[in-house]
């Protein structure tokens, strides 16, 4: 009995005349990932990708992290003969049904020459399963597991219990963005959400040595490595804002400190994005979460850049962001107790409803251009790779 992996994609199937371009990107990503595991035969037909090779277990785990794939199934491949299909269902499917109470059977007959209809095929494989697992109950509305037979042109495929994959759009199908990666919970989630929509991710981290430690930088690099599980590789750019923060503390009103620092960060981020041909900035901000994330504060910080700023977490509450961080594997690293630059010289009473005119008056007290240039001259870059 030959076993393969069936990969189904979701919204990409709706892409009309452009679908082939998206499919090629997806297949390129899959081939690149699986080439590090072993030799596989990869075929694409009717919104399904067929993957055959020796290291199926390893390949299956890797494919869970591929953006653009909606579901995965391990499937037995047999000839299009109902007796063979029934026998295979009885032998192959019980491993996926152990410990469950209810199931249902479905069939899809793409090959209309096959003599049985889809409902008839479903009844046959359902009966075969009950013949070897009589303790199971059939539940057509809310089954624990669905077993399936797909009768396609080339063969019949028997499988059960589709596993949800990463979803979204193929990586690198929607431009490139620069995420401001702080080391907290929110920004890695924002990066993941944009990567899931096909955006190539690069990261920019601001540090404030010696007020922030080398361990804080290592934490950010670890987060980038976790994102590389999904993205393949992530470039991390690092800029120091130590001198900027010291000058702000020396010459500016404390209540404006966070806003002024954020405006510096946005200007430096835009320069970095333009240098590395990123089309947009990405932040992990959630409206109202902290003083710098009120609507007024966001308006003031966005005023210094001309490229789009994407905030995929903007309408999420903290519990939702934490839940997603746990799912993608970044949460435990994000909560490590290493400070970031935003915790340095934090004002006791930050402005939550700033007026742009007053912010501009504060900026006249410092040499913005010189401070930015000094920071940008120290740009450091490291690439984290999964494969």
């Amino acid at each position: 009995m030959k076993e393969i992996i069936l990969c189904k994609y979701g919204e990409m199937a709706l892409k009309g005349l452009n679908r082939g371009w998206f499919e090629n990107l997806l297949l390129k990503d899959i081939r690149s990932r699986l080439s590090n595991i072993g030799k596989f035969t990869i075929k694409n037909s009717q919104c399904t990708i067929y993957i055959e090779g020796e290291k199926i277990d390893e390949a299956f785990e890797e494919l869970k992290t591929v953006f653009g794939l909606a579901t995965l199934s391990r499937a037995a491949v047999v000839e299009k003969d109902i007796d063979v299909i029934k026998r295979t269902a009885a032998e192959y499917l019980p491993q996926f049904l152990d410990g469950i109470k209810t199931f249902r059977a479905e069939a899809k007959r793409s090959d209309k020459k096959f003599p049985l209809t889809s409902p008839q095929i479903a009844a046959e494989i359902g009966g075969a399963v009950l013949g070897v697992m009589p303790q199971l109950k059939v539940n057509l509305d809310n089954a624990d597991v669905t077993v399936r037979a797909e009768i396609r042109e080339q063969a019949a495929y028997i499988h059960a219990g589709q596993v949800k994959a990463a979803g979204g759009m193929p990586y690198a199908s929607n431009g490139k963005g620069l995420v401001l990666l702080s080391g907290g919970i929110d920004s890695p989630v924002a990066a993941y959400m944009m990567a899931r929509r096909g955006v190539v991710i690069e990261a920019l981290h601001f540090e404030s040595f010696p007020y922030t430690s080398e361990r804080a930088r290592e934490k950010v690099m670890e987060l980038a490595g976790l994102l590389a599980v999904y993205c393949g590789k992530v470039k991390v750019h690092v800029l120091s804002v130590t001198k900027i923060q010291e000058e702000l503390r020396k010459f500016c009103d404390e209540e404006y400190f966070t806003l002024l620092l954020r405006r510096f960060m946005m200007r430096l981020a835009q320069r970095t994005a333009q240098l590395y041909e990123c089309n947009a900035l990405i932040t992990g901000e959630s409206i109202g979460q902290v003083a710098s994330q009120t609507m007024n504060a966001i308006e003031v910080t966005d005023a210094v850049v001309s490229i789009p700023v994407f905030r995929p977490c903007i309408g999420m509450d903290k519990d939702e962001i934490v839940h997603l961080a746990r799912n993608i594997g970044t949460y435990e690293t994000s909560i490590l107790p290493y400070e970031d630059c935003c915790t340095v010289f934090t004002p006791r009473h930050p402005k939550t409803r700033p007026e742009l005119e007053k912010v501009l008056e504060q900026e006249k007290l410092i040499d913005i251009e010189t401070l930015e240039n000094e920071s940008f001259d120290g740009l450091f870059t490291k690439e984290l790779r999964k494969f």
Side-chain angles (χ1 to χ4, degrees):
M1 182 191 308
K2 182 169 69 175
E3 187 179 37
I4 69 168
I5 301 174
L6 297 180
C7 309
K8 305 289 182 71
Y9 44 83
E11 65 179 284
M12 200 173 70
L14 307 176
K15 287 300 180 180
L17 295 177
N18 291 326
R19 194 175 78 187
W21 182 76
F22 287 96
E23 288 176 335
N24 287 336
L25 284 175
L26 177 58
L27 291 168
K28 179 181 178 182
D29 190 13
I30 290 172
R31 291 190 184 101
S32 178
R33 289 168 177 266
L34 296 188
S35 67
N36 295 290
I37 297 174
K39 292 184 178 180
F40 294 87
T41 300
I42 302 171
K43 298 179 181 179
N44 181 37
S45 176
Q46 297 177 314
C47 300
T48 302
I49 298 171
Y50 304 80
I51 298 176
E52 179 182 349
E54 294 181 355
K55 297 182 180 180
I56 291 294
D57 291 342
E58 293 178 46
F60 195 82
E61 290 303 310
E62 181 66 35
L63 291 167
K64 290 179 182 178
T65 64
V66 175
F67 293 125
L69 295 181
T71 62
L72 307 173
S73 301
R74 297 174 69 134
V77 186
V78 298
E79 61 183 284
K80 293 184 289 184
D81 179 280
I82 192 59
D83 291 330
V84 176
I85 292 170
K86 289 167 57 179
R87 185 168 62 250
T88 302
E91 295 173 357
Y92 180 70
L93 294 178
Q95 63 181 309
F96 303 105
L97 304 174
D98 187 38
I100 65 105
K101 295 181 179 180
T102 63
F103 82 107
R104 67 179 177 185
E106 293 181 352
K108 180 178 181 180
R109 186 185 60 151
S110 298
D111 180 2
K112 302 305 180 185
K113 296 178 182 179
F114 194 77
L116 276 67
T117 65
S118 294
Q120 289 172 332
I121 300 167
E124 293 287 352
I125 64 170
V129 170
L130 287 173
V132 293
M133 303 186 76
Q135 75 278 14
L136 295 180
K137 302 295 183 183
V138 175
N139 186 329
L140 299 179
D141 298 318
N142 190 28
D144 295 325
V145 174
T146 299
V147 301
R148 294 178 173 87
E150 298 185 29
I151 314 300
R152 295 181 176 265
E153 294 297 330
Q154 59 271 39
Y157 302 89
I158 315 299
H159 56 98
Q162 290 180 329
V163 173
K164 189 175 181 181
M169 299 298 295
Y171 195 60
S173 62
N174 276 311
K176 183 162 68 169
L178 181 71
V179 61
L180 279 63
L181 193 61
S182 68
I185 297 171
D186 305 340
S187 54
V189 169
Y192 170 87
M193 292 173 71
M194 294 304 297
R196 189 172 182 267
R197 298 308 304 165
V199 177
V200 173
I201 296 299
E202 294 197 12
L204 174 61
H205 176 64
F206 294 101
E207 63 181 9
S208 187
F209 186 81
Y211 305 107
T212 58
S213 65
E214 183 65 28
R215 295 297 298 273
R217 181 193 283 196
E218 291 173 0
K219 172 184 173 181
V220 169
M221 295 301 173
E222 183 176 341
L223 287 170
L226 293 171
L227 291 170
V229 170
Y230 300 91
C231 304
K233 62 180 179 181
V234 176
K235 284 185 179 179
V236 183
H237 312 289
V238 181
L239 287 172
S240 172
V241 291
T242 303
K243 181 67 177 297
I244 293 171
Q245 290 180 291
E246 291 174 341
E247 292 293 292
L248 291 175
R249 183 178 61 170
K250 189 183 300 183
F251 295 107
C252 299
D253 291 346
E254 181 186 1
E255 60 186 356
Y256 287 98
F257 181 86
T258 300
L259 280 169
L260 295 170
L261 178 61
R262 291 290 297 175
R263 281 166 63 88
F264 268 106
M265 289 178 171
M266 295 299 277
R267 283 187 289 253
L268 288 166
Q270 178 166 271
R271 287 180 66 171
T272 307
Q274 291 170 339
L275 177 63
Y276 290 96
E277 299 181 329
C278 297
N279 310 109
L281 303 179
I282 301 163
T283 80
E285 291 162 303
S286 172
I287 192 76
Q289 188 176 125
V290 295
S292 64
Q293 295 175 21
T294 65
M295 193 171 292
N296 299 80
I298 289 173
E299 180 183 12
V300 167
T301 55
D302 277 8
V304 297
V305 296
S306 58
I307 63 175
V309 182
F310 295 134
R311 296 178 170 91
C313 300
I314 195 70
M316 300 171 68
D317 63 33
K318 198 65 176 184
D319 286 343
E320 291 172 316
I321 297 172
V322 166
H323 178 74
L324 186 48
R326 290 184 187 277
N327 285 347
I328 65 176
T330 57
Y331 178 76
E332 295 299 330
T333 300
S334 290
I335 62 173
L336 292 174
Y338 305 125
E339 67 290 320
D340 62 54
C341 68
C342 293
T343 63
V344 178
F345 311 142
T346 303
R348 290 164 293 180
H349 304 290
K351 279 284 184 181
T352 58
R353 295 185 177 182
E355 298 175 27
L356 182 57
E357 294 77 9
K358 293 183 180 180
V359 173
L360 293 174
E361 289 176 6
Q362 290 288 311
E363 288 185 335
K364 291 178 181 178
L365 303 174
I366 52 178
D367 187 346
I368 293 175
E369 183 177 357
T370 298
L371 288 170
E372 283 186 9
N373 288 338
E374 288 180 359
S375 175
F376 203 73
D377 286 345
L379 183 68
F380 164 82
T381 297
K382 182 176 181 179
E383 184 174 270
L384 285 301
R385 300 183 68 94
K386 168 70 186 301
F387 52 85

